[in-house]
Amino acid sequence: MTALLCFVGCALVSWLAGYPAHRVLARHGILDHPNERSCHDRPTVRGGGIAIVAALGAVTATVALSQNRYGMLVMLGGAAALAVVSFLDDQFSVAPALRFCWHAVLATATLAALGWPRLTLTFGPDWSWGVSGGLAAGVWFLWLVGYINAFNFMDGINGLAAGQAVVTGLGAGLLFGLHSGDWTGAGLLLAISLAGAAAGFLPHNFPQARMFMGDVGSAPLGFLLAFLVIYLAQKSGWVLLVPLALLHANYVLDTGVTLARRIARGERWHQPHREHFYQRLIRAGKSHGFVTGLELSLQTVVLGLMVWYLFVPGWVRLLLALAVLVLWAGFFAYGEIAFRRRPRSRLAGAPAQPDLEVAPAWSNPDLRDMRQPSAKASQPIHLSLPHMGGSEIRFVQRAFDENWLSTTGPNLKALETSFSARVGLPSVALSSGTAAIHLAVRLAGVKPGDEVVSPTLTFVASCNPVLYEGARPVFIDSERRSWNLDPELLSGFLKQRAANNRLPKAVIVVHLFGQSADLDPIVALCRQYGVTLIEDAAESLGAQYKNRPVGSLADVGVYSFNGNKIITSTGGGMLASPHHGWVDKARHWSTQACDPNPQRNYLHSEIGYNYRLSNVLAGIALGQLEVLEERIRQRRAIAFRYRDAFADLPGLELMPQAPYGLHTNWLSCFLVDQASFGLSAGGLVRSLNAANIEARPVWKPMHTQKLYQGYECVGGAVAEDLNRRGICLPSSSCLTDDEQRFVIDRVREAHLAAKAAPGK
Ligand SMILES: *Cc1c(COP(=O)(O)O)cnc(C)c1O
């Protein structure tokens, strides 16, 4: 009865707590990103792993009060150390292999602390140490590592929710323990409460999540649960252990199968696995609800068997254990079969595809037989399409109704007001991002003959305005960590130029593909040398650097509403600046720079432009601003869906997600390693284009352009490499699941075909 109350109560509390929690998170831009289940890309969930681990430590301490102090101490130390690893991982993305080793070490320590010899009880009638004992320990060890690794299903925002669940469970357990003084009972209730709390947060995450997956942040949770299993088993004289192990056999088998497949395929086996059979079934076209239902009913059957198990003679138990294993094996086999027979893409014109991706290499030695004429999408799948939210047309209609069909009007005002609120700076709406950069260059006081620094890896519009002003660009290479301007190279360059008294007039820093450059050192350098810093955030509206919006952190920032950007007004741009008068100056220049005078005569004292945005287009931008958050979520989800779908392909890696900011993944960019992927980036682009998919290389560096021959470039090898190996995949926020699956299938197909016929 108490247990039932505990379960229901915890479920309720965590369910209710989910609402304010999600609200707070949303307010801080830490949104629930569907399909995104890894903390490594999200510095914003820095606390996720830590929260769980902290709770884990507390839980362990509680249970430690009851029994087996040494075991508990190891758990506690392990939890603390895991917190450190989680933290390092969130910050620096610790190598997966290191994490794996870490789990292994902890598993070993736990086993040792709980007493190796007792393990023998699980494996047979009084096995003594020696070969069989060692064997038993080995199996056990694998089970634990597998268990811990396999329990990675809650992470990112789900990880936070899991932390919340653990805390709720802990509270309930503590209350019970304090009230009754029965800490053994508290240990048991704890487990039940945890389950209840986890059940409570599921409704918050289930609807959006097509997959559960995750990483190290949730490993501690797995660790805790693994520990509870052992703990309960020990309490029950180990008799519970076998059934408990079987209850979780699916996770362990899952990890084992994944691991075996990877080793057999010569893939990076030590990478955290991103696909469970669960996801395979989802990818095979089964619904989220169906697969969950299937897993849960299997688990219930096993649970029933488990209870019965305790009351039957030894040989029946053995048979039952085997039966359960067979049951699970059947489940996995079903997963494989369903995956092979999955429905073909609904995209018209796509012929039935052989299931290239699941066939393990060993079952199909002759991959050449599997080459098929490539499918072709009947409608082109574009790189990045406009995606209206619905309210744009109302603002446009209002402009028509009120005859504000020029470059003044209420939409412009409203746009500037709401944009300024977003970036925290005064702003002006302009006819394009390029126009905004041009005005920024002028605001920086660039004169003919001056030099202006620009990254060489960028779109040409970043630096053309330098030429408009008769100034000279100097290009600087990118850093690998963010693909953006390398602060070290900039530092060396400015230092050397300062020594020769030839400092550039301005630096343009570009935030490519939705990711912020490493701004702190760049801002500091420009301050130090008194050089104006311009942020080209045309591709990165909505991106953040250390929780602040990019484009608002330097002397002047520019944004673009071009048709291919994350939000669009068909064409348009914004300029924002913290400096008094700069935005007004830009507005003045953008409307032909007519000097104010009472006669309204046409007085001109400096050059101006026709760069103002139309009030009609401002209406579109205004409507689009309303859906910016959603677009960011969608673009990120698309990038991570690609990443997860390609996790097992060698030599295909998502563009780095620098730990200091929020990457909108405006475009999903990948790096192709020809040696392991089998095909060059160029080859992959060609093969996708042949399938009517618009894929493109990463920007071609400016120093390699005919237009910019003869201009200085500092470094350049990184940018050239990124251009040679980088590829942008269709990333429209309106990309459908079917379309994305189609793209994914073509990429996997190209990989296998290339592997089967190298050199082609
Ligand atoms: C798109 C883009 C621009 C230009 O913006 P428009 O609004 O198209 O003029 C400038 N810089 C970069 C890096 C861009 O991607």
Side-chain angles (χ1 to χ4, degrees):
M1 192 58 202
T2 322
L4 188 70
L5 276 178
C6 220
F7 182 88
V8 175
C10 286
L12 262 177
V13 169
S14 99
W15 176 60
L16 288 175
Y19 287 102
H22 279 236
R23 183 159 289 173
V24 170
L25 293 171
R27 189 166 318 131
H28 289 86
I30 310 171
L31 296 159
D32 192 359
H33 297 280
N35 289 330
E36 177 199 325
R37 294 291 172 262
S38 174
C39 61
H40 307 304
D41 313 307
R42 291 182 55 74
T44 40
V45 293
R46 225 167 263 165
I50 314 288
I52 297 173
V53 173
L56 167 61
V59 169
T60 313
T62 313
V63 184
L65 294 174
S66 59
Q67 217 197 23
N68 195 347
R69 294 221 165 86
Y70 299 113
M72 301 309 131
L73 276 178
V74 169
M75 286 296 297
L76 203 59
L82 255 175
V84 174
V85 171
S86 270
F87 178 74
L88 290 177
D89 195 47
D90 282 352
Q91 296 291 323
F92 310 112
S93 248
V94 178
L98 187 69
R99 258 185 274 145
F100 186 83
C101 294
W102 178 247
H103 292 164
V105 167
L106 274 190
T108 315
T110 309
L111 282 182
L114 289 171
W116 298 92
R118 312 196 62 169
L119 300 176
T120 56
L121 289 175
T122 323
F123 288 95
D126 197 22
W127 288 7
S128 53
W129 280 101
V131 178
S132 53
L135 208 71
V139 174
W140 250 94
F141 169 79
L142 279 180
W143 180 75
L144 250 185
V145 174
Y147 194 97
I148 294 162
N149 267 318
F151 238 100
N152 291 341
F153 64 91
M154 288 172 283
D155 210 80
I157 185 72
N158 285 332
L160 280 178
Q164 170 198 336
V166 175
V167 173
T168 314
L170 172 66
L174 260 176
L175 277 178
F176 177 83
L178 286 171
H179 179 69
S180 66
D182 174 8
W183 289 103
T184 313
L188 282 162
L189 276 186
L190 208 72
I192 294 164
S193 308
L194 271 175
F201 78 74
L202 271 180
H204 292 295
N205 293 288
F206 189 83
Q208 304 92 320
R210 291 203 187 84
M211 306 179 169
F212 287 127
M213 61 170 61
D215 252 306
V216 76
S218 49
L221 192 65
F223 201 71
L224 167 69
L225 294 174
F227 158 74
L228 276 176
V229 170
I230 295 174
Y231 175 74
L232 293 179
Q234 207 182 25
K235 290 243 89 153
S236 64
W238 296 97
V239 71
L240 265 173
L241 192 61
V242 174
L244 276 174
L246 288 177
L247 183 61
H248 298 281
N250 57 337
Y251 299 111
V252 184
L253 258 182
D254 192 344
T255 323
V257 169
T258 309
L259 204 66
R261 183 173 33 223
R262 283 187 179 185
I263 291 172
R265 285 188 182 180
E267 291 167 3
R268 286 171 299 180
W269 58 271
H270 49 77
Q271 203 99 61
H273 67 283
R274 294 201 185 279
E275 188 175 84
H276 298 265
F277 271 82
Y278 184 92
Q279 284 99 337
R280 311 205 85 198
L281 280 176
I282 297 284
R283 284 218 285 132
K286 302 282 177 246
S287 79
H288 190 41
F290 171 81
V291 185
T292 311
L294 187 68
E295 273 217 37
L296 285 184
S297 25
L298 268 171
Q299 213 127 347
T300 313
V301 170
V302 177
L303 194 70
L305 287 173
M306 188 183 107
V307 174
W308 184 45
Y309 179 95
L310 296 175
F311 303 98
V312 294
W315 63 272
V316 181
R317 290 187 201 175
L318 194 66
L319 277 184
L320 270 175
L322 287 174
V324 169
L325 279 178
V326 169
L327 204 66
W328 282 125
F331 172 61
F332 292 123
Y334 172 73
E336 280 290 351
I337 292 164
F339 195 66
R340 275 154 203 257
R341 285 213 203 116
R342 94 204 128 113
R344 67 190 179 130
S345 169
R346 255 177 279 141
L347 284 167
Q353 286 303 301
D355 192 44
L356 294 174
E357 50 268 71
V358 290
W362 66 82
S363 76
N364 224 317
D366 194 0
L367 281 171
R368 265 158 302 172
D369 287 346
M370 302 175 66
R371 270 187 298 148
Q372 291 279 319
S374 236
K376 196 168 159 139
S378 60
Q379 297 290 321
I381 301 179
H382 291 284
L383 190 68
S384 179
L385 287 174
H387 186 184
M388 291 298 118
S391 64
E392 296 85 357
I393 194 72
R394 278 195 289 116
F395 296 113
V396 171
Q397 189 61 49
R398 201 174 66 185
F400 274 74
D401 292 346
E402 298 171 1
N403 206 28
W404 285 110
L405 302 172
S406 74
T407 50
T408 53
N411 282 343
L412 275 168
K413 256 211 184 84
L415 172 64
E416 285 172 0
T417 307
S418 77
F419 195 89
S420 293
R422 223 203 124 79
V423 298
L425 296 176
S427 62
V428 51
L430 299 168
S431 57
S432 73
T434 313
I437 298 174
H438 187 193
L439 296 186
V441 166
R442 288 214 47 202
L443 284 169
V446 173
K447 295 277 174 322
D450 283 343
E451 285 188 325
V452 175
V453 169
S454 155
T456 182
L457 188 75
T458 186
F459 179 56
V460 72
S462 298
C463 48
N464 275 349
V466 176
L467 294 189
Y468 298 173
E469 288 303 307
R472 298 171 53 80
V474 179
F475 298 111
I476 291 188
D477 207 355
S478 292
E479 57 166 359
R480 291 209 178 265
R481 178 162 88 127
S482 68
W483 294 15
N484 290 316
L485 187 69
D486 186 336
E488 302 257 332
L489 290 181
L490 179 67
S491 165
F493 173 78
L494 290 178
K495 191 168 172 197
Q496 175 237 322
R497 280 302 167 87
N500 299 336
N501 211 7
R502 276 184 56 211
L503 279 170
K505 193 76 185 184
V507 170
I508 300 172
V509 59
V510 185
H511 308 298
L512 287 177
F513 301 121
Q515 169 148 280
S516 169
D518 191 3
L519 277 174
D520 276 351
I522 296 173
V523 169
L525 282 166
C526 289
R527 289 243 168 89
Q528 182 189 342
Y529 292 105
V531 177
T532 304
L533 181 60
I534 299 168
E535 281 182 83
D536 177 355
E539 300 179 4
S540 298
L541 175 57
Q544 291 174 3
Y545 180 72
K546 303 195 173 166
N547 294 322
R548 291 170 303 164
V550 303
S552 70
L553 305 171
D555 295 302
V556 48
V558 304
Y559 305 86
S560 165
F561 297 139
N562 193 353
N564 65 355
K565 298 288 166 29
I566 193 158
I567 58 171
T568 181
S569 63
T570 71
M574 298 295 295
L575 180 148
S577 169
H579 295 310
H580 182 72
W582 281 32
V583 167
D584 288 337
K585 192 90 201 167
R587 192 178 284 113
H588 175 63
W589 286 338
S590 75
T591 46
Q592 307 288 16
C594 189
D595 296 340
N597 65 93
Q599 291 79 33
R600 311 217 61 181
N601 203 355
Y602 296 97
L603 296 185
H604 296 280
S605 50
E606 52 182 342
I607 197 167
Y609 310 89
N610 183 5
Y611 276 174
R612 190 75 164 131
L613 187 66
S614 121
N615 183 64
V616 176
L617 301 189
I620 305 181
L622 198 54
Q624 286 269 279
L625 263 191
E626 290 177 3
V627 291
L628 176 57
E629 282 334 310
E630 194 185 337
R631 298 292 174 264
I632 295 172
R633 262 200 315 276
Q634 289 161 329
R635 297 256 180 182
R636 285 174 58 83
I638 285 167
F640 296 130
R641 220 178 288 145
Y642 277 129
R643 175 199 63 190
D644 294 340
F646 299 147
D648 59 329
L649 294 190
L652 192 59
E653 203 131 12
L654 180 66
M655 161 179 189
Q657 316 270 314
Y660 50 62
L662 178 82
H663 189 338
T664 66
N665 288 281
W666 165 60
L667 292 186
S668 292
C669 304
F670 282 80
L671 266 194
V672 181
D673 174 39
Q674 184 172 4
S676 48
F677 186 72
L679 195 63
S680 67
L684 184 55
V685 166
R686 273 194 300 281
S687 107
L688 291 176
N689 289 350
N692 218 357
I693 295 168
E694 189 186 3
R696 297 249 185 122
V698 162
W699 302 124
K700 181 162 164 58
M702 291 304 118
H703 73 274
T704 64
Q705 304 281 2
K706 202 166 157 198
L707 173 63
Y708 284 108
Q709 283 316 296
Y711 292 102
E712 187 178 344
C713 183
V714 181
V718 174
E720 283 173 41
D721 181 58
L722 293 175
N723 169 245
R724 192 167 47 243
R725 298 202 293 122
I727 169 171
C728 309
L729 294 175
S731 313
S732 311
S733 43
C734 52
L735 190 74
T736 65
D737 281 359
D738 275 353
E739 285 171 329
Q740 186 167 14
R741 197 170 299 151
F742 184 81
V743 176
I744 290 167
D745 286 350
R746 299 291 80 71
V747 170
R748 300 185 69 97
E749 189 181 78
H751 160 68
L752 284 176
K755 279 284 179 196
K760 270 212 80 169

